[in-house]
């Protein structure tokens, strides 16, 4: 399956035969007090730094979330999308729980965006999927509904099936434009949770061959040495069929683990990118003082 | 499946519900010129250092290989096994391509050893498996025979089936004492090779539920940043069913990736070992000068 995303001038493909798609998570006020205050004042100056750092780190798509408490999320999303598209040619992932913010982001966006996200709740499907269709976007879909976030991977698989049926049958969205989020939970809350995520990835991959993405940072939440956990988790999930993650693209350890897994899964012909990245790192180290 | 290994006083279990079994690869003269010369002179003084470093790094079993050119491997194996058992209570993996060296090692060994290894070649099976049975040892079996090292995972699976039939049926070895080596090859030689290893692991796990180990260092051979490759490979293989690896137990990055994968696969209840390892690292860093 190939999910094609586009900015005005650049195309990025998410797929099982492609390098893993690193979606930069950083443009998001959650847990960032200073950034939240800036957004309440309508100050988007921080966003340019976030873009630059993520591009330097290896992001291939950038998530944009403007959900700060008491801020005008709709207006901020419109402005942020324009601002980010003015400074990078990476495609964007328009991220909000507010339908009007998704709509404002999609209206402002030039290209084919990824919408983050919609659950299997009926009213959400009815509100979000027409937007996705009208803007010819791709969409991240979560297998939880009104009644539950299912623990059992097989129940999640049933919801995935329903999501695919509704998106393709009722709304005419192409199956290649569906990206499933298999629901990554903190291992620190319950050490059985990640097994369920991995099993869900395996089932969705075997059964539907759909592209998948998830919030990789969730997994290590609350634990020490988060980079160590994330650097193991992403390759594990990739081995089972995960094709993308919303992650900290500024974290060199994490990005290196993605690139190593790309090499091992034969998504880096001749290892050329792995070797080039190693050389670039060596050159930077030689140039660095001390 | 639970493969139980024992020294005189300690038991280690390889299994899908156990922490991943780290087998230290270091007591092996391959690629170590000074050590080879020492072994030719009958000097085993280096072995104690290798034991100490691997134990400190987190080895749970130690591989012992005395295959230096022009050295008396049989006599060295007998002495090395006694020496290592005198300084550590970890179970050992007796590693040789020479049947007499395996026999000498098993004769000298106190406990239940792991024998490394036997292929599906008829004369090797006939020579090695009676030894394994007589010493009530466990054995690493490789799915390659007289005619080929098969590239195709399904062909490897056929050979695994034959290995299991022969070991259990003809020699009366318990299926729980069989550890399959799914054949790890250098990704630098051909970037499609690791996919085949991963697929083999998945198939052996799904079909037979057997324990598996492999030489993890092979995978990164000839490539830059070997630790980066190994730290991604082992968690990937673990996600698909690998339960052990013969690896560099002195490499902190690699061991950390194993422990992270153990945590994520729910083999570290409450994350207690992950948290304790992090604290120990912090304490060492605080105590270290500078």
């Amino acid at each position: 399956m190939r999910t094609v995303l586009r900015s005005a001038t650049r195309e990025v493909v998410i797929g099982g035969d492609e390098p893993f798609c690193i979606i930069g998570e950083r443009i998001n006020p959650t847990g960032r007090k200073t950034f939240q205050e800036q957004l309440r004042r309508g100050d988007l100056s921080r966003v340019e730094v976030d873009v630059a750092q993520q591009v330097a780190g290896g992001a291939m798509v950038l998530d944009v979330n403007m959900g700060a408490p008491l801020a005008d999320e709709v207006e901020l999303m419109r402005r942020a999308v324009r601002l980010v598209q003015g400074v990078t040619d990476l495609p964007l992932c328009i991220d909000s729980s507010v339908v009007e913010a998704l709509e404002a982001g999609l209206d402002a966006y030039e290209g084919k965006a990824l919408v983050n996200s919609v659950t299997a709740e009926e009213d959400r499907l009815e509100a979000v999927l027409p937007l996705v269709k009208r803007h010819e976007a791709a969409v991240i879909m979560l297998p939880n509904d009104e009644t539950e976030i299912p623990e059992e991977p097989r129940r999640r698989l049933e919801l995935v099936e329903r999501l695919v049926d509704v998106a393709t049958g009722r709304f005419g969205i192409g199956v290649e434009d569906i990206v499933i989020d298999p629901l990554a939970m903190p291992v620190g809350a319950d050490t059985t949770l990640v097994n369920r995520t991995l099993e869900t990835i395996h089932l969705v991959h075997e059964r539907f061959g759909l592209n998948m993405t998830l919030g990789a940072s969730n997994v290590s939440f609350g634990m020490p040495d988060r980079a160590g956990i994330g650097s193991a988790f992403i390759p594990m999930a990739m081995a089972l069929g995960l094709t993308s993650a919303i992650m900290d693209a500024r974290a060199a350890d994490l990005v290196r683990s993605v690139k190593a897994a790309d090499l091992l899964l034969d998504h880096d012909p001749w290892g050329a990118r792995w070797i080039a990245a190693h050389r670039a790192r060596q050159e930077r180290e030689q140039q660095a003082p001390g």
Side-chain angles (χ1 to χ4, degrees), chain A residues 42-69:
Chain A
D43 173 6
L44 284 170
S45 57
R46 176 68 210 183
V47 170
E48 284 195 47
V49 178
D50 292 340
V51 170
Q53 289 179 344
Q54 294 183 101
V55 170
M60 296 147 82
V61 172
L62 297 180
D63 189 271
V64 178
N65 180 308
M66 291 285 121

Side-chain angles (χ1 to χ4, degrees), chain A residues 24-40 46-47 50 63-71 73 76-77 95-97 116 215 217-218 221 226 246 248 250:
Chain A
E25 70 180 7
R26 184 64 178 163
I27 306 175
N28 188 326
T30 307
R32 299 176 70 184
K33 277 209 162 170
T34 307
F35 190 39
Q36 287 179 17
E37 283 161 21
Q38 289 171 334
L39 292 184
R40 276 194 286 276
R46 176 68 210 183
V47 170
D50 292 340
D63 189 271
V64 178
N65 180 308
M66 291 285 121
L70 307 177
E73 186 176 346
L76 284 168
M77 181 64 89
D95 180 4
S96 179
S97 55
N116 186 8
S217 303
N218 291 351
F221 184 79
R226 296 187 65 175
I246 302 171
D248 187 353
R250 305 166 309 158

Side-chain angles (χ1 to χ4, degrees), chain A residues 60-136:
Chain A
M60 296 147 82
V61 172
L62 297 180
D63 189 271
V64 178
N65 180 308
M66 291 285 121
L70 307 177
D72 181 354
E73 186 176 346
V74 174
E75 179 56 23
L76 284 168
M77 181 64 89
R78 190 185 331 270
R79 286 179 52 208
V81 165
R82 287 194 187 128
L83 170 65
V84 175
Q85 288 211 291
V87 292
T88 179
D89 63 354
L90 296 188
L92 302 187
C93 177
I94 315 283
D95 180 4
S96 179
S97 55
V98 175
V99 176
E100 293 73 19
L102 293 178
E103 185 162 20
L106 286 166
D107 282 340
Y109 186 72
E110 203 175 343
K112 182 177 171 185
L114 181 60
V115 171
N116 186 8
S117 56
V118 66
T119 63
E121 296 165 286
E122 192 55 36
D123 59 336
R124 301 293 299 172
L125 291 166
E126 287 289 340
V128 174
L129 292 186
L131 276 182
V132 171
K133 177 65 183 172
R134 192 164 72 240
H135 289 86
E136 297 181 329

Side-chain angles (χ1 to χ4, degrees), chain A residues 194-206:
Chain A
V194 174
N195 260 337
R196 289 175 195 158
T197 302
L198 293 173
E199 172 85 13
T200 304
I201 292 168
H202 179 60
L203 290 171
V204 170
H205 176 66
E206 295 274 298

